[in-house]
Amino acid sequence: MSANLQTPIDYLKGVGPNRADLLRSELGIQTYQDLINLFPNRYIDRTRYYKIDELQQNNAEVQVIGRITGFREVAQKRGKRLVADFRDDTGVMELVWFRGQKWIRDSLKTGQTYVIFGKTNWFNGKFSMPHPDMELQSEHESNLRSAMQAIYPSTEKLSNKGITNRVTTKIMQQLFLETKGRFIETLPDSLLAELKLLSKSEALFNIHFPKNPELLARAQFRLKFEELFYIQLQLIIKNLIHKSKIKGFTFDKVGDYFNTFYKEHLPFDLTNAQKRVLKEIRQDLGSNAQMNRLLQGDVGSGKTIVAFMSMLMGLDNGFQCCLMAPTAILSVQHYQGLSELCKPLGISISLLTGSTKTSDRKIIHENLENGDLQILIGTHALLEDKVKFKNLGLAIIDEQHRFGVAQRSKLWHKNTLPPNILVMTATPIPRTLAMSVYGDLDISVIDELPAGRKPIKTVHRYDSNRLKVFKFIRDEIALGRQVYIVYPLIQESEKMDYKDLMDGYESVAREFPMPDYQISIVHGKMKPADKDFEMERFVKGETQIMVATTVIEVGVNVPNASVMIIESAERFGLSQLHQLRGRVGRGAEQSYCILMTGHKLSQDSKTRLETMVRSSDGFEIAEVDLKLRGPGDIMGTQQSGVLNLRIADIVKDKDILQQARYYAKNILKVDPSLALPENKAILHTYRQMSKYRNIWNYIS
Ligand code: ADP
Ligand code: MG
């Protein structure tokens, strides 16, 4: 190779200090390496010329040949713009400059034939092209043109300061000249051969200056694969380092609690998915590395029993365990459910929430510290410093998307060694996204519902059909069922939403009057005690209708509730809709979900509603959600750094991602330290990456 790719771009011929500053500030390009990795957004056909009467109002870049027949200055709000009439034999259009007018005026000549290139606007009955790329036709003919000319990412500032696409292309050509187009290979020969990949040099050449569509496609594949391969490699290495460095408690025996429960008290047969996941957890717990596992499973897939049996493994090895849930309601339900299971085994279990009485709290604290208390269930209250365990061996977090990373890490410090951690979530994350964002966690999936569940019937109804919906509710209640009616509560418009909820409540109360009907209402503005009281009435079956905001989204279990009505369903996100629907269908009866909306719906809302009606598979729904919202929105900005890819796209390139992860895994399995000669290219690239671009910075 003839040039060091870490050379600052200032040294590239044709760049110079001003352009270098602009490239740095606008595109983050510091070195030759950064420039070579500035991949085109798309390609356009520079062998095609448009006549002015062929132009369409679609705003794409076009190339036109013609002459300037006159200049004029037009006053505008601030300053003035320079306008040129540009003609060919079919018509006239305008060229417009807002800056650099003197220079333009001096350098362009009327009467000469130019080839102009740029985006057109339709304005005042005419086409105009602001800040066109311009070349004299004579010059233009001597340049190479391609049917696949690269269009590079740019910014307004760059084009205003004269770094047009033509200039960027020239700079790129210069880079290829200086480096002779030869670049160090970053993938091993075995992978190149097996996947029939272009070499690095060929790929880079064809991504910038494609020779033909086939080579462009191969170049794109190779570079996407490489990008995803190295991200996966880094994540997997991080996971391996974690496992070798961070020792955890080993639960090496399966003892009486687990065996007795399994043989004598298991209330149902486990699904195959539950068995598989238990095996995966058992393997982690039996090793001396600290477990850091994410358990994904749709609503109702039976994560709780898996959590409980994992805790039994902990107890069998003399450790304490805890289960943390995001709300008091959910903690109470877990506590009640698990207490039943603990009773025949003689296991001590307690509940700790914000509303636990001080006297009870004191007892809990004591018993935790002296080891008498084996299992603690609760809310964030578990994280308080006063809560000290004798020997916490396993911490389980339910519905993890409600907790931040900081809270998770607090659990780590509850013992000398970090406890094993199992995080459970009912919001399935598409596999590809999980691989990228949680690639350093181990992931288990329960992808099967317990047998005998009746699928929930989901329909979409317009507000104008409300009377029929009310009749349906009445019929279900007459059969002894219970009904949820949920209103959106979205922060920005909280006041209005609150009003919607109260209006809704009143109309429901009118439609379903006491004493025949009893209604619970629960919303975020209520005191926790009132909330719990209302919730409790519904759980006990004293009320038939629960009017609520999304506070009931998480976890609440009322098997007798068979109808979920979601008001203004178009305002909910897909994963929220799916979560809400999961509140019904928990008993033996046929359950229903009714999505109520007005008539005016956006395209995205329609897609969301159709998806809900069509599918009950959380993973399928999550895929649609990912397509609608994009990865950044789903994961939050916190993790979106990992998703800032140069060329690959997590949604569109998920097959390549899977392939890349597969190969990265296999290579590390055989050669975890990348010491083998055939993996030299990988080791070298990996080291370069850690040196120049620290991926760890943006992974949790
Ligand atoms: P989630 O995964 O949403 O937390 P739960 O653990 O609350 O689901 O389980 C939902 C319901 O299914 C509970 O009533 C639970 O007792 C029941 N359940 C779990 N596993 C099975 C199984 N293998 N067979 C039958 N019912 C099961
Ligand atoms: Mg649950």
Side-chain angles (χ1 to χ4, degrees):
M1 204 184 55
S2 47
N4 178 355
L5 287 185
Q6 297 310 325
T7 310
I9 34 159
D10 310 56
Y11 293 92
L12 190 64
K13 200 175 141 212
V15 175
N18 290 339
R19 283 181 171 176
D21 280 347
L22 278 170
L23 290 171
R24 264 192 292 271
S25 63
E26 292 299 295
L27 297 175
I29 295 175
Q30 316 252 6
T31 61
Y32 282 27
Q33 168 101 38
D34 296 333
L35 184 62
I36 199 84
N37 285 329
L38 178 72
F39 297 132
N41 286 334
R42 60 211 161 81
Y43 300 83
I44 53 122
D45 187 349
R46 295 280 322 233
T47 59
R48 160 114 208 240
Y49 300 92
Y50 285 78
K51 292 289 186 187
I52 291 176
D53 69 355
E54 287 178 311
L55 296 178
Q56 306 266 339
Q57 296 179 35
N58 64 0
N59 220 28
E61 278 105 344
V62 291
Q63 210 169 211
V64 183
I65 304 176
R67 279 173 303 131
I68 293 175
T69 53
F71 284 104
R72 78 201 110 86
E73 280 175 356
V74 180
Q76 55 182 42
K77 236 187 233 157
R78 248 179 273 147
K80 54 187 196 284
R81 62 178 185 269
L82 177 67
V83 178
D85 287 321
F86 188 77
R87 275 175 204 282
D88 67 4
D89 50 8
T90 69
V92 62
M93 63 186 287
E94 292 181 343
L95 311 181
V96 185
W97 293 270
F98 300 96
R99 287 173 201 81
Q101 297 164 356
K102 182 174 172 353
W103 182 81
I104 300 283
R105 192 69 206 251
D106 292 345
S107 61
L108 294 181
K109 296 180 184 65
T110 49
Q112 301 257 32
T113 306
Y114 284 99
V115 179
I116 62 165
F117 170 75
K119 271 190 187 167
T120 56
N121 294 324
W122 177 252
F123 185 65
N124 274 347
K126 252 188 232 164
F127 281 103
S128 64
M129 187 183 286
H131 290 255
D133 260 22
M134 298 191 67
E135 270 177 311
L136 282 171
Q137 191 179 24
S138 49
E139 262 173 45
H140 180 77
E141 312 248 274
S142 65
N143 284 341
L144 282 176
R145 283 178 306 282
S146 149
M148 280 170 292
Q149 160 103 49
I151 300 293
Y152 289 98
S154 184
T155 65
E156 210 180 311
K157 194 162 172 195
L158 281 177
S159 43
N160 283 340
K161 299 266 179 182
I163 306 194
T164 57
N165 197 64
R166 189 155 60 96
V167 170
T168 311
T169 307
K170 280 227 160 108
I171 294 175
M172 198 65 81
Q173 281 165 346
Q174 186 59 34
L175 179 71
F176 274 80
L177 268 178
E178 288 190 22
T179 55
K180 300 203 169 66
R182 287 205 295 267
F183 302 98
I184 292 181
E185 181 51 62
T186 44
L187 290 174
D189 293 344
S190 56
L191 270 183
L192 295 182
E194 190 169 341
L195 294 168
K196 300 199 173 55
L197 300 175
L198 289 187
S199 72
K200 179 89 173 188
S201 299
E202 281 175 296
L204 286 175
F205 183 83
N206 279 288
I207 203 80
H208 293 293
F209 310 105
K211 285 185 190 147
N212 59 47
E214 194 223 325
L215 280 172
L216 172 60
R218 291 185 62 197
Q220 285 169 326
F221 182 86
R222 140 96 211 204
L223 295 169
K224 286 174 177 182
F225 178 87
E226 174 176 348
E227 179 168 45
L228 296 168
F229 175 82
Y230 279 104
I231 291 178
Q232 289 305 317
L233 192 87
Q234 286 174 307
L235 288 167
I236 296 165
I237 289 177
K238 190 181 175 200
N239 180 307
L240 291 176
I241 292 174
H242 178 100
K243 283 198 173 134
S244 67
K245 280 223 181 105
I246 308 204
K247 296 280 173 271
F249 299 111
T250 314
F251 301 173
D252 43 18
K253 64 173 194 247
V254 175
D256 284 348
Y257 285 127
F258 189 94
N259 286 333
T260 312
F261 180 75
Y262 194 79
K263 283 189 203 122
E264 293 169 28
H265 303 292
L266 197 59
F268 34 66
D269 290 336
L270 295 177
T271 62
N272 286 328
Q274 285 170 321
K275 285 184 196 159
R276 187 188 65 236
V277 167
L278 270 171
K279 231 180 248 166
E280 289 165 357
I281 293 172
R282 159 99 194 95
Q283 237 160 36
D284 280 2
L285 295 177
S287 85
N288 67 353
Q290 183 238 1
M291 174 167 84
N292 216 359
R293 187 170 280 279
L294 178 71
L295 172 56
Q296 289 200 52
D298 220 333
V299 189
S301 61
K303 295 184 290 295
T304 316
I305 196 81
V306 170
F308 180 68
M309 292 174 76
S310 308
M311 292 202 266
L312 294 183
M313 295 179 202
L315 302 192
D316 275 335
N317 288 275
F319 291 98
Q320 294 169 304
C321 302
C322 70
L323 169 61
M324 186 165 78
T327 64
I329 294 173
L330 199 51
S331 307
V332 170
Q333 278 201 349
H334 274 317
Y335 174 69
Q336 288 168 343
L338 297 185
S339 295
E340 289 302 309
L341 300 178
C342 284
K343 222 175 271 164
L345 300 167
I347 294 169
S348 55
I349 178 169
S350 287
L351 173 70
L352 181 68
T353 69
S355 48
T356 304
K357 275 190 261 154
T358 318
S359 51
D360 293 341
R361 221 171 254 262
K362 249 183 96 183
I363 298 170
I364 289 174
H365 288 170
E366 267 172 36
N367 288 341
L368 268 185
E369 282 195 71
N370 66 27
D372 284 350
L373 184 56
Q374 292 167 287
I375 295 179
L376 181 62
I377 312 286
T379 56
H380 302 79
L382 297 195
L383 297 173
E384 285 169 17
D385 293 334
K386 281 173 288 182
V387 179
K388 294 197 186 79
F389 292 82
K390 181 169 184 223
N391 58 351
L392 177 64
L394 170 65
I396 301 179
I397 306 175
D398 198 12
E399 311 292 350
Q400 78 102 28
H401 61 296
R402 298 281 170 131
F403 293 102
V405 175
Q407 291 169 322
R408 214 188 327 162
S409 80
K410 264 198 154 179
L411 278 174
W412 276 57
H413 303 293
K414 290 275 175 196
N415 209 339
T416 44
L417 286 180
N420 292 298
I421 291 191
L422 179 67
V423 166
M424 306 197 290
T425 169
T427 310
I429 303 162
R431 257 185 78 73
T432 49
L433 196 55
M435 266 186 218
S436 311
V437 178
Y438 296 125
D440 58 329
L441 288 184
D442 294 300
I443 301 179
S444 290
V445 178
I446 304 188
D447 49 6
E448 181 187 358
L449 292 181
R453 289 272 168 84
K454 287 204 185 97
I456 300 163
K457 287 195 177 136
T458 303
V459 292
H460 171 203
R461 292 284 179 263
Y462 292 104
D463 292 338
S464 45
N465 288 325
R466 185 168 299 279
L467 288 181
K468 276 196 188 151
V469 173
F470 279 150
K471 176 172 183 320
F472 179 74
I473 296 178
R474 211 168 283 125
D475 292 347
E476 283 290 303
I477 292 177
L479 291 171
R481 311 283 130 71
Q482 289 165 285
V483 178
Y484 292 103
I485 306 180
V486 179
Y487 288 81
L489 202 131
I490 296 159
Q491 229 121 45
E492 302 124 43
S493 54
E494 203 182 316
K495 264 203 190 120
M496 215 182 81
D497 287 338
Y498 186 68
K499 186 174 177 306
D500 285 354
L501 173 76
M502 295 324 276
D503 289 353
Y505 173 72
E506 276 167 27
S507 80
V508 172
R510 244 178 285 127
E511 200 65 35
F512 299 92
M514 291 202 284
D516 291 353
Y517 299 96
Q518 301 287 333
I519 306 176
S520 289
I521 178 163
V522 173
H523 57 79
K525 288 194 171 166
M526 292 164 74
K527 285 197 205 107
D530 296 342
K531 232 193 288 190
D532 290 350
F533 175 77
E534 287 286 304
M535 201 65 224
E536 202 52 39
R537 293 209 303 150
F538 188 70
V539 172
K540 286 191 192 137
E542 294 170 8
T543 59
Q544 297 94 9
I545 301 177
M546 158 69 73
V547 174
T549 57
T550 45
V551 285
I552 57 148
E553 185 189 335
V554 165
V556 177
N557 191 17
V558 181
N560 190 46
S562 65
V563 183
M564 167 63 66
I565 312 246
I566 305 179
E567 295 285 349
S568 304
E570 74 276 14
R571 294 180 54 199
F572 289 87
L574 259 181
S575 71
Q576 235 183 347
L577 289 173
H578 181 61
Q579 287 290 311
L580 286 169
R581 176 168 59 183
R583 296 304 108 219
V584 296
R586 305 193 145 224
E589 307 305 332
Q590 175 64 53
S591 290
Y592 305 87
C593 174
I594 304 178
L595 307 166
M596 303 291 301
T597 74
H599 277 278
K600 260 177 102 180
L601 294 172
S602 71
Q603 195 50 52
D604 278 9
S605 304
K606 277 185 200 153
T607 307
R608 288 198 295 268
L609 296 165
E610 281 160 16
T611 305
M612 286 296 294
V613 169
R614 183 188 74 233
S615 171
S616 56
D617 176 347
F619 284 91
E620 188 184 335
I621 290 171
E623 291 282 351
V624 176
D625 201 25
L626 178 60
K627 280 190 191 128
L628 286 179
R629 294 200 292 152
D633 259 13
I634 291 192
M635 302 316 301
T637 43
Q638 193 186 12
Q639 280 131 334
S640 62
V642 192
L643 309 167
N644 254 340
L645 303 176
R646 274 212 189 87
I647 186 165
D649 178 315
I650 301 235
V651 180
K652 292 187 194 127
D653 301 319
K654 67 177 193 195
D655 294 344
I656 308 180
L657 171 58
Q658 248 145 31
Q659 231 177 347
R661 184 167 174 88
Y662 169 84
Y663 283 103
K665 244 186 170 160
N666 276 1
I667 287 169
L668 287 170
K669 198 184 276 170
V670 178
D671 184 16
S673 55
L674 298 173
L676 294 176
E678 67 246 38
N679 292 329
K680 217 172 108 188
I682 302 181
L683 182 64
H684 179 78
T685 312
Y686 174 74
R687 285 198 174 141
Q688 291 281 111
M689 289 176 88
S690 335
K691 202 159 132 200
Y692 293 111
R693 186 161 165 261
N694 196 343
I695 188 174
W696 308 143
N697 291 345
Y698 46 75
I699 293 181
S700 68

